Every structure is written in structure tokens, then in C-alpha cells.
């Protein structure tokens, strides 16, 4: 067996990592999109919310089948999610709330957005890193 040919264990591990990437990328993408719907105050009945989740599920299934266009779409979505940085987490949580039918009025959505912005600012300016080793001299 050559150095470039994966062993059975390596191939199984690569397959598991790829499946994890497919599931997480498409799940987070759907939740972020649904989070945008929550932030905008869009209302939908349970069957409409379920119906809107179908395209994400179909794209994930096509991705597991190795359809090149869908794989490329997932790679682009991974970059887009990365560009969202910390904002993808509250959007995904809001998307989960939207899928469950938990809606809030505009004032409450604005308040939640303000709290998220304050917490994000605190984390941005907080000194997370330990002092460098060696001291100041």
C-alpha cells in the first residue's frame, strides 16, 4: 500500500469527518436562516416551518451523495458561516426558537439583540489571554 492510499481505518475516519462537516454545516446554515426569520418577526405555522426545513435536508442528503455543485455550495456556506463569526451562534439559537414556534414581539427581539451586542462587546474587549511568560524584566 502506498503512502497516499488511505488504510481502511483512515478512510473510515475521513468518511466520519466528512459526514460531520455535512451535518453541521447544513444544520447551522438552516438555523441561521431561520434565525433571520425570527429576527425579522416572520410568522409561520408548524407545517410551513417544517416545509421550509425540507430544502436544507435535501441539500444535505445530496451533499452526502457527492453531488459536486452541492459540495461546492457547502464549502462556500462554511466560509460564509465563518465570516459571521460569533453572530452565527445567537442567530442559530433564534432559528431554533423560530422552528419551535417561539416568537417574540418587536420590542423583545430588539432587547435580545441589544443584550447580544453588549455581551459581544464585553467579550471583544475582555482580556482573555494570559500574560506572556517571562515577565516584564
Amino acid at each position: 500500500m502506498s503512502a497516499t492510499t488511505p488504510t481502511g481505518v483512515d478512510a473510515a475516519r475521513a468518511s466520519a469527518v466528512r459526514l460531520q462537516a455535512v451535518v453541521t454545516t447544513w444544520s447551522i446554515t438552516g438555523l441561521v436562516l431561520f434565525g433571520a426569520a425570527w429576527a425579522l418577526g416572520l410568522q409561520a405555522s408548524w407545517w410551513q416551518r417544517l416545509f421550509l426545513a425540507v430544502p436544507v435536508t435535501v441539500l444535505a442528503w445530496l451533499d452526502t451523495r457527492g453531488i459536486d455543485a452541492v459540495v461546492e455550495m457547502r464549502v462556500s456556506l462554511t466560509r460564509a458561516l465563518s465570516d459571521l463569526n460569533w453572530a452565527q451562534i445567537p442567530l442559530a439559537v433564534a432559528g431554533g426558537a423560530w422552528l419551535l414556534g417561539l416568537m417574540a414581539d418587536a420590542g423583545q427581539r430588539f432587547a435580545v439583540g441589544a443584550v447580544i451586542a453588549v455581551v459581544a462587546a464585553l467579550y471583544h474587549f475582555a482580556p482573555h489571554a494570559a500574560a506572556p511568560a517571562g515577565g516584564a524584566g
Side-chain angles (χ1 to χ4, degrees):
M1 184 174 291
S2 72
T4 59
T5 304
T7 65
V9 173
D10 291 339
R13 185 173 175 88
S15 178
V17 168
R18 184 177 183 287
L19 182 61
Q20 180 183 11
V22 167
V23 170
T24 57
T25 301
W26 288 108
S27 297
I28 296 297
T29 298
L31 288 172
V32 165
L33 291 174
F34 299 145
W38 182 89
L40 294 171
L42 301 179
Q43 302 276 339
S45 64
W46 69 269
W47 65 269
Q48 290 169 323
R49 292 188 306 270
L50 183 65
F51 184 72
L52 289 172
V54 169
V56 174
T57 306
V58 169
L59 287 168
W61 181 79
L62 290 172
D63 196 350
T64 63
R65 299 291 179 229
I67 307 299
D68 289 335
V70 179
V71 171
E72 290 176 21
M73 190 184 312
R74 176 177 41 87
V75 170
S76 296
L77 285 169
T78 302
R79 286 188 197 113
L81 289 171
S82 178
D83 289 344
L84 281 175
N85 200 359
W86 61 268
Q88 65 181 301
I89 295 170
L91 278 172
V93 170
W98 187 82
L99 276 175
L100 292 173
L102 305 174
M103 286 303 300
D105 64 27
Q108 290 172 329
R109 289 192 316 275
F110 180 76
V112 169
V115 168
I116 291 169
V118 168
V119 170
L122 288 172
Y123 271 95
H124 179 72
F125 293 111
H128 292 297

